Amino acid sequence: MEGKLISIPFLFTLFTLSISVSSVSLQYQTLTLRSLPEPQSLSWATQDSYDFQPLNSQNTLAVQLHHVDLITPYTSLFNTTPHALFKLRLQRDAVRAELLSKLAEAAANANATVKDFSSSVISGLAQGSGEYFTRIGIGTPPKYAYLVLDTGSDVVWIQCLPCRQCYNQSDPVFDPSKSSSFTGLSCDSPLCRRLDSPGCNNKNKCLYQVSYGDGSFTVGEFSTETLTFRKTRVSDIAFGCGHDNEGLFIGAAGLLGLGKGKLSFPGQAGSRFGNKFSYCLVDRTGSPKPSYLIFGESAVTRNTIFTPLLTNQKLNTFYYVELTGISVGGTRVPLITSELFKLGANGDGGVIVDSGTSVTRLTRPAYVALRDAFSLGTKNLKRAPNYSLFDTCYDLSGKTEVKVPTLVLHFKDADVALPASNYLIPVSSEGRFCFGFAGTASRLSIIGNIQQQGFRVVFDLAGSRLGFAPRGCD
C-alpha cells in the first residue's frame, strides 16, 4: 500500500442516547453484491507426485490453499445449503474465539513460575473453525493429505494407523509402518520434553495428548517424519501421530501448526527457509480457485507494508501486533484509541492475527464505536434483523451494488485499507448482509480471516514483523 491516507474533518457530538452528525464528508467505496456461494466440489490443480529436491536456506516452498468447506466429507456431514454452512461456520467461530480469550486471560492471571503456553491446546481444527487447508505429503514415499492451516497452533499432527478411534477424513489414514522415514521419539528426547504434558509407553516411546475445551482430543505417538511440499522435502519434523482422535475433527487429516512456538512448522524448520512465510486467503464467496502458502524469500512481495510483531511472554505462540486506531469514511473514530488494544505487561489484552478465526473480534468499547461510526455512514441502506453474532445487518435484496464507507485498520507503521467485501458480508441467499465485525467482553482482540481475505499476509520472523500486501492472491 503506497502513499499516505488523507483524513477529512469529521465533526460530531456524542449524547447519552443518540448521535448527531454535522458537516460530514465521508469517503465511500462500491461493494458489488454476491450471495452466499453454493457448495462446490474440490478441484485440486496439482498432482500428488512430483520431482523431489532437497531444501536449503535459498529454497522457496509453495503449496495451495483451499477453504475447508470444500472437503467432501466435511460438507456431506451437514446440510450443505449455503445458509447452513455459513451458520455452522459462525458457531464454530464463536467457540474458537471464546477459547482463545479464556486462554489469554488464564495466562495473564498465572504466576510467573508457570511455563509459557504451548498452543497445542487451541487448534482451529479441533474447534471446527480451521477455515483454510492445504495438501501435503507425509512420509516416504509421501502419502498426500489435507492439513488445516493454523497460525494459532504449534503442534503438527495427523491421524495414524492403527486407529483406536478415528474420525472420517477424505484420504486414507496414514500408515507409519509403510514410511521409511518415520521415527518414534524416545521419552527422554529434547523434542518430547517440549510438550506440555508428555507421556511414555512401556517401550520408552514419547506420547502426546492434546485435550480441547469442547471435549475433543487427540492422543498418539510423538514422532519425526518427512513432509513434502510440492517439489520439496523437509525432513525430521516432529509431529503427532494420532491413534485416538475424537470430537469435532472432520474431513482434513490433521493440522499444520504455523504458530511462533518451537514445535510449530516454522519453529522447527524456519531457518531452512529464511524464517519467512506468507499466505493469501481467497474469498470464500468466490470460485474454488486456490491461493498459495509460501515459505522462503518469495513469501515477501514488493508492495508489502509491515508492522512490528510484539512478544507476549505468557503466550509465545500467538502473533501479536499493535493496533492504534480505525478509520471509517476517511476519518479516525475518536473513541477507538491505542489504549483499548494495549498488550499488558502481565500478558492480558493485545491484538493477534489468526488464520483460524473467521470474524474479527474487537474489545467491546472499540467495537461499539466502530459499529456506530459505520452505521452513521449507511443510513441510506435498509436495516435488517440481527443475525447470529452480528448486530448490524442490512436488507440489500434487489440491488447489485451499494456504496459503503471506507474502513482502514491503523497498525503501527502500516495502514491497511479493507475492500468493502471484507466487512459487509452476505449471511443469506436472500440479500441480507451484515457488518463483519463483532464485540467481545475479553480484552483480547482478534483479526480474523474474513478481514484478511485477498491480502498476502507475510510473517517475517527473521525481522520480527508482520506484513500485508493488497491483491496478494494474484
Side-chain angles (χ1 to χ4, degrees):
M1 188 177 303
E2 299 178 353
K4 295 184 178 179
L5 294 172
I6 301 176
S7 297
I8 297 178
F10 187 10
L11 306 176
F12 63 90
T13 303
L14 294 178
F15 296 95
T16 303
L17 298 177
S18 64
I19 301 176
S20 61
V21 182
S22 61
S23 302
V24 176
S25 179
L26 297 179
Q27 296 177 357
Y28 285 82
Q29 61 179 325
T30 300
L31 171 65
T32 301
L33 303 180
R34 290 182 294 178
S35 297
L36 289 172
E38 293 292 333
Q40 303 180 60
S41 298
L42 177 67
S43 176
W44 204 266
T46 57
Q47 300 298 316
D48 282 354
S49 60
Y50 301 96
D51 295 327
F52 299 120
Q53 62 186 35
L55 175 67
N56 58 52
S57 60
Q58 302 302 315
N59 283 139
T60 295
L61 287 70
V63 286
Q64 293 183 9
L65 297 180
H66 280 277
H67 190 268
V68 71
D69 289 350
L70 296 177
I71 303 179
T72 302
Y74 182 86
T75 56
S76 64
L77 184 65
F78 305 99
N79 182 351
T80 54
T81 66
H83 181 265
L85 281 176
F86 185 73
K87 189 172 183 179
L88 175 66
R89 188 179 307 146
L90 293 181
Q91 292 170 350
R92 302 189 313 249
D93 209 48
V95 174
R96 178 181 176 93
E98 181 180 2
L99 291 179
L100 291 181
S101 296
K102 288 182 178 179
L103 175 63
E105 292 170 3
N109 294 329
N111 60 54
T113 62
V114 177
K115 292 182 179 180
D116 287 347
F117 170 75
S118 170
S119 69
S120 57
V121 300
I122 51 160
S123 157
L125 182 61
Q127 306 316 323
S129 34
E131 293 292 332
Y132 291 86
F133 63 94
T134 188
R135 191 163 177 80
I136 294 174
I138 313 294
T140 306
K143 300 298 182 182
Y144 284 79
Y146 300 121
L147 298 184
V148 169
L149 167 76
D150 193 354
T151 58
S153 292
D154 284 343
V155 174
V156 181
W157 65 268
I158 63 168
Q159 296 198 112
C160 286
L161 294 176
C163 271
R164 289 188 292 273
Q165 180 68 44
C166 282
Y167 58 85
N168 188 27
Q169 65 178 63
S170 59
D171 291 293
V173 176
F174 179 69
D175 185 351
S177 68
K178 295 183 179 179
S179 171
S180 62
S181 51
F182 177 87
T183 303
L185 292 168
S186 65
C187 299
D188 56 355
S189 68
L191 286 171
C192 185
R193 290 196 295 266
R194 288 183 186 177
L195 291 168
D196 282 344
S197 302
C200 193
N201 65 14
N202 56 11
K203 297 181 180 180
N204 196 38
K205 295 295 185 181
C206 181
L207 303 178
Y208 80 98
Q209 177 173 333
V210 180
S211 299
Y212 300 87
D214 64 349
S216 302
F217 62 86
T218 175
V219 178
E221 186 176 353
F222 204 52
S223 316
T224 61
E225 185 54 285
T226 295
L227 306 184
T228 300
F229 297 76
R230 303 180 77 195
K231 294 183 178 182
T232 302
R233 284 178 170 173
V234 186
S235 60
D236 300 321
I237 297 299
F239 84 118
C241 195
H243 300 296
D244 190 348
N245 316 287
E246 301 181 35
L248 296 179
F249 310 111
I250 301 165
L255 181 141
L256 181 66
L258 296 175
K260 286 179 66 182
K262 294 181 179 179
L263 286 178
S264 72
F265 179 73
Q268 295 186 62
S271 61
R272 309 186 210 182
F273 49 80
N275 287 299
K276 297 179 179 68
F277 72 93
S278 68
Y279 60 70
C280 192
L281 307 180
V282 291
D283 186 348
R284 286 162 295 185
T285 63
S287 73
K289 180 181 177 181
S291 59
Y292 287 87
L293 168 65
I294 300 173
F295 298 90
E297 294 300 326
S298 296
V300 183
T301 58
R302 290 184 178 180
N303 62 337
T304 304
I305 56 174
F306 286 98
T307 185
L309 282 170
L310 305 180
T311 298
N312 185 346
Q313 299 296 340
K314 298 295 184 74
L315 287 171
N316 64 345
T317 294
F318 293 163
Y319 293 98
Y320 281 87
V321 292
E322 183 177 348
L323 184 63
T324 62
I326 302 177
S327 289
V328 174
T331 299
R332 285 196 181 229
V333 181
L335 295 180
I336 302 180
T337 65
S338 59
E339 286 298 314
L340 294 175
F341 307 115
K342 187 175 181 180
L343 176 60
N346 66 342
D348 69 332
V351 179
I352 65 173
V353 176
D354 181 39
S355 67
T357 300
S358 290
V359 179
T360 289
R361 264 74 169 186
L362 300 178
T363 188
R364 188 69 185 173
Y367 170 71
V368 171
L370 175 63
R371 176 199 64 194
D372 291 349
F374 183 80
S375 296
L376 287 173
T378 54
K379 286 184 174 180
N380 61 319
L381 300 181
K382 182 180 178 181
R383 293 296 293 265
N386 297 349
Y387 181 86
S388 185
L389 76 168
F390 300 123
D391 61 8
T392 304
C393 299
Y394 303 88
D395 179 1
L396 305 182
S397 56
K399 298 180 181 295
T400 57
E401 64 180 33
V402 295
K403 296 286 186 179
V404 295
T406 57
L407 195 153
V408 179
L409 301 178
H410 299 289
F411 299 97
K412 182 179 180 180
D413 301 332
D415 296 334
V416 179
L418 300 181
S421 58
N422 286 29
Y423 55 91
L424 191 58
I425 62 175
V427 299
S428 75
S429 301
E430 292 75 40
R432 185 170 10 169
F433 284 69
C434 294
F435 187 51
F437 287 76
T440 175
S442 169
R443 291 195 65 243
L444 177 71
S445 296
I446 306 169
I447 306 299
N449 60 45
I450 289 177
Q451 281 65 42
Q452 296 175 49
Q453 284 179 177
F455 290 91
R456 179 153 292 281
V457 184
V458 179
F459 299 80
D460 180 2
L461 305 182
S464 190
R465 57 183 187 165
L466 186 147
F468 299 90
R471 299 176 299 280
C473 295
D474 296 338

